[in-house]
Amino acid sequence: PQALAAPGLAGLMAATVQRPTDVQAWIALGRAYDGTGQFTETLAAYDKALALEPGSDDVALLRAGVLVRAGSAREALPVLTSLAARFPDNPDTLLLLGLAQDKTGAPAATATLRRFLQLAPDAPTAPGVRNLLARR
C-alpha cells in the first residue's frame, strides 16, 4: 500500500511547493500522510494549513484526531474541549473528545461518548464506542 501511496504523495508535495499558500493543498497532503500513518508529517502539514488559516476549526479537528491516534491525547484535549463547547452537537468532535478523555483517564469520557452515540448511533465507529463503554 505504501508504494501505491507514494506517487499521490509526490504529487501533493509538488502542489504545496507550487502553491505554498493553498490551504486545501496542505490539508490534502496531511490527509495523504495520515493515510500512510506518518503522524509527524501529517501534523506538519496540518500545522502549515493552520498557520495559513488560523481559525480553521476543520483543520484543528483533523490535527486533534491525529494527536489522539498518535498517543498525544493530552495535547489534543484543550482544542477538542474548545471545539465541543462551540459545537456541542458535532459527533466527530464528541467522538474525538471522548476518546481523548478516555485515554487520559478523564471521568467525563463516559458522558461524552454516550452523547456521541445519541447523536450518531449508526456511525461506523459506534460499535467500537459501545464496546469501549461496556469495558469502562
Side-chain angles (χ1 to χ4, degrees):
Q2 202 132 3
L4 295 175
L9 272 174
L12 291 168
M13 289 169 63
T16 61
V17 170
Q18 294 166 356
R19 300 184 315 274
T21 60
D22 183 345
V23 173
Q24 294 307 312
W26 287 103
I27 292 170
L29 180 61
R31 287 182 188 272
Y33 276 132
D34 195 11
T36 64
Q38 298 177 66
F39 294 135
T40 301
E41 292 83 355
T42 303
L43 291 171
Y46 289 158
D47 284 344
K48 181 63 176 175
L50 279 171
L52 293 168
E53 195 173 294
S56 175
D57 292 329
D58 292 337
V59 178
L61 185 62
L62 287 169
R63 187 179 188 285
V66 173
L67 288 171
V68 171
R69 289 191 318 280
S72 298
R74 192 166 305 287
E75 185 180 341
L77 268 176
V79 169
L80 292 169
T81 302
S82 172
L83 288 170
R86 293 197 328 269
F87 307 103
D89 294 329
N90 181 295
D92 295 334
T93 300
L94 292 173
L95 173 62
L96 287 175
L97 176 59
L99 293 174
Q101 289 170 330
D102 180 68
K103 289 178 187 247
T104 59
T110 299
T112 303
L113 292 171
R114 283 190 181 139
R115 178 73 179 135
F116 161 76
L117 289 173
Q118 286 176 344
L119 292 169
D122 299 323
T125 52
V129 171
R130 285 186 191 93
N131 289 338
L132 178 64
L133 287 172
R135 292 192 308 265
R136 288 194 71 136

